[in-house]
Amino acid sequence: MNKIPVQACINGEAVVFLCEPNQTLLEVLREELGLTGTKEGCSNGNCGACNVILDGALVNSCLVLAVEAEGKSITTIEGIAGPNGLHPIQQKFLEHAALQCGICTPGFIVAAKALLDHNPQPTEEEARRWLAGNLCRCTGYDKIIRAVLDAAETLRNT
Amino acid sequence: MARVWIPALLRGMTGGQSEIEVAGETVGALIDQLEARYPGIRERLVEAGRLRPNIAVVVDGTRSRQGLRQPVSEQSEVHFVPAISGG
Amino acid sequence: MSSATPTIEKPPYRVVGTRPIRPDGVDKVTGRAIFGADVRLSGLLHGRVLRSPHAHARIKSIDTRAAEALPGVKAVVTGHDFPDPQNKVAASGEGTVNLRSLAHNCIARDKVLYFGHAVAAVAATTPNIAEEALKLITVEYELLPHVLDVREAMRPDAPLLHDDLRTNEMGQRAETPSNIANHTRHERGDVNQAFAEAAVVVEREFRTSMVHQGYIEPQNGTALWNADGQISVWCSTQAPFDERNQLAEILGMPVSKIKVTPTEIGGGFGGKLSVFLEPLAAMLSKKAGHRPVKMAMNRAEVLAATAPTSGSYIRVKIGADKNGCIVAAQAWMVYEAGAFPGSPVDAGAGVIFAPYRIPNVLIDAYDVVVNKPRAGAYRAPGATNAAFASESVIDELAEKLGIDPLEFRILNGAKEGDRRADGPVYKRIGFIETAQAAKAHPHYSAPLAPSRLDPEGKNPAIKRGRGVAAGFWFNWGGKSSAWASLNPDGTVSLIEGSPDIGGSRASIAMQLAESLGVRAEDVKPAVVDTDSVGYNDATGGSRVTFGTGWVAWRLGEKLKQQLKARAALLWEVTPDQVKAEAGVFSCNGRSITLKELAGKLDETGGPIVASDTFESDEYGPGFGVHIVDLEVDTETGKVQILRYTAAQDVGTAIHPAYVEGQLQGGVAQGIGWALNEEFVYDAQGHLLNASFLDYRIPTALDLPMIDTVLVEVPNPGHPYGVRGVGETPIVPPAGAVANAIYHAIGARMTALPMSPARILEAQGKA
């Protein structure tokens, strides 16, 4: 089989990988690059567990072919925390107990990062609308929404 | 004498009686006494020397894990109920 | 946000009742936590499953030769590669599982019993090759007539799923085969006479659809059948020890040869109590020359072929006297067991009238097999169906009697000493306190926003309503084992065997911290494999914070006793003269902190460890009362939840944030069950909506904030008063939503889900 070389910037580092033309970005992140923080919940774009930020846009990595990453910049959950520790979104998820099993958490945190990058002061309605592509079966979303709105306030004040 | 509540589906064997006073110090002894009075009732509750796996015994409001060995008192109330499962 | 209404004064706890950050939190927000699909072993193969396209068929032949010949394929297995276990019944969760059924469910032998039933599995060097190989397997089927509806399946002329299944009635087997696996009856008093004398009687029939737990992480399992006969399995499971037993039976190997390592688990809700892929992965590993094999389902497989919970048909009749006292209640309940016996109908029968004091009761419950996936547990299994039916009828009775629906429930509510509908007498329970807390909540007295008119200003287009409902769950104690070692810096390593599905590492560690006298952060919990800790029952039945927490409390006490002895040694007194309070040990004016004492382990006799195993029967049931405001778009039939409040008797909330989370999560699942979720089969028995797009669970946009009221009635059967909290909150929502819809549009909804089509039909608009 013919593998295709792809150059991308993942979490701030230049990366070169080989992939098959039918492999998804999700599969390559997890299986080839060992970035298993990005989760697979449905493989068809309905649950958001595999959310990554691709050149500033929030995407389901299960719906992106790995070859489409050529020349692009990708942020995964592994790239959210800074050198000095957790990102405020991550910290607020912990403080608000906004996770139970934790499988959807990476997707939610990446999606919330994309939201706050676009809109630093979302209303509850805007946060709910933005995060409606991320399914959580444990929390009923209450604490997740509170964590995201609280993180937004923290980010605005820093 | 402990008071045994006869499960609805076994009352055909007890002439329709739903509560029966029985002497005995364990659930197993109560069942032995019931068997003496209503032959065949033990087989409905017990399999291979243990309570049937889908039956639980409740003594004085608490589901017991000791099955036939569960001690009972003179004032005890004994129920045989389905063993239920949670998620 | 929550408010707490303590009815019994709590002791001044230092750790219990606080909200520390969970010990596994950082790993879970950074993507480092290892879930089942994240397991990586050298030489790993990937397995895929070939599934039945038919609802019911005999397997005439399976030809796997072409698949085996495909480059990259390392092994293929079918049902005939496995030993056939006996009809042995083993513990699973709080209930039991027939291991032969379980084996035949993991991979079909001679017959497929539902769309999606596994018939063969392949291991290959890549997932894509394994997928390609499935297409090369030829299965010759002889189609058999199928049955999907429980009442049709009960008919004497229905197609039989199992030739050897005969109805069990409390230990007596029927003479002839049937799809009715089991009949249970609870009877007390004389319902017929009581109904005849009642002032008001309401009778209705209800239907609910099969629904799925909808955990976000698909089932997965990685297995290595080593050359020395040792089998290691890594998987996402609620029940590593149960799975070890199941694997032993299905693989025909002794338990001692099997080690199950529970990875982090991405939700379960009762759906991950038994094996699906793990035996296939193990057998593939053996056949592939002892290479590890990883298997994971896709979402379509999860929906079609795991263990969703029963659809049901329920008839309920309740009568009350003119003073509003319930005099009799009757239920006739039939639950879909799916392809193998074992629906949660008996639990449903125990739940259906549980909140109330009723002198005359008759309940008949039937477990019926149909050509759908084997029904499993789903959070308070069997209870949501039952409460939807009974709470709808209770609401209608209250209305007919002209009594406030919560007042009616309080008037008839069960208390300590009252008799449960299925017989036994309640001990200390908090139903009345919970109903009163709901009634006192500002939500219940807040005016409901008026209905809105349509754009022409004529008809109300958006109608609003408020509904309430109650719910009950048994809870469970179960067996737990754990051990702990004191570190020289005064911290404690806690080794436990209860997979952490919703923050239980925190709630268990906190109980050890409280009893020993250290901070929550000083206890470091780890969940380990089945070789590394004593037996633990499943994480299920709302038992872990109660049962494993109880063991943690005992470990703390045991460590404290040993530390007292060490202090006594230093001070040349007897251990009973040493007092321990909040991590400080003292005697006759001398004192030493736990941390200082831990630093002197070596000089006072060496390491301090404790281990314990325990099971308590004093878990005590839980009750919830919910209030919901919603609006119905009368043109589209869409229902929007506007406000929701869940009150629950939670015993003592160890970590209140995670208790609130359990209530909120249960409510969200209950709302999904009420409004959207259902398995849709075509006439041939094919599942039509096997994706998260078509099997639609609630999103953040579908729900409001969910208010919780933690009513703390400490459970006298636990050192800190803990009661299970996880399951009860899914019980009331469907009934509460149905009652609110009635108050909005004036029609009683009698089928779940209450989808837009059904709402339109109820308004005569369909």
Side-chain angles (χ1 to χ4, degrees), chain C residues 77-154:
Chain C
V77 296
T78 70
H80 293 285
D81 287 298
F82 292 80
D84 198 7
Q86 298 300 302
N87 268 317
K88 187 173 157 189
V89 173
S92 173
E94 292 153 88
T96 56
V97 61
N98 180 311
L99 292 163
R100 189 158 186 261
S101 294
L102 192 65
H104 289 199
N105 188 55
C106 286
I107 191 158
R109 303 291 159 119
D110 304 318
K111 266 171 69 161
V112 290
L113 294 164
Y114 57 94
F115 173 81
H117 199 165
V119 292
V122 174
T125 49
T126 72
N128 284 345
I129 295 174
E131 195 74 43
E132 286 303 309
L134 296 182
K135 297 174 191 160
L136 301 174
I137 299 174
T138 311
V139 186
E140 198 182 348
Y141 292 104
E142 175 196 339
L143 295 193
L144 298 170
H146 61 273
V147 60
L148 300 170
D149 178 84
V150 277
R151 279 182 302 159
E152 283 175 28
M154 292 175 87

Side-chain angles (χ1 to χ4, degrees), chain A residues 30 39 90 137 141 143, chain C residues 29 38 213 660 677 698:
Chain A
R30 289 182 52 83
K39 301 302 178 191
Q90 294 170 313
R137 194 59 157 171
Y141 304 102
K143 294 183 188 302
Chain C
V29 298
D38 305 333
Q213 298 84 358
E660 293 159 9
E677 297 179 34

Side-chain angles (χ1 to χ4, degrees), chain C residues 184-220:
Chain C
T184 295
R185 172 176 287 176
H186 300 294
E187 186 175 15
R188 186 151 48 80
D190 183 342
V191 288
N192 289 329
Q193 193 186 332
F195 283 132
E197 292 167 9
V200 186
V201 176
V202 174
E203 181 174 14
R204 282 193 182 272
E205 57 178 32
F206 300 86
R207 286 177 197 79
T208 73
S209 296
M210 182 169 259
V211 295
H212 199 273
Q213 298 84 358
Y215 36 80
I216 305 299
E217 179 203 29
Q219 260 84 358
N220 58 67

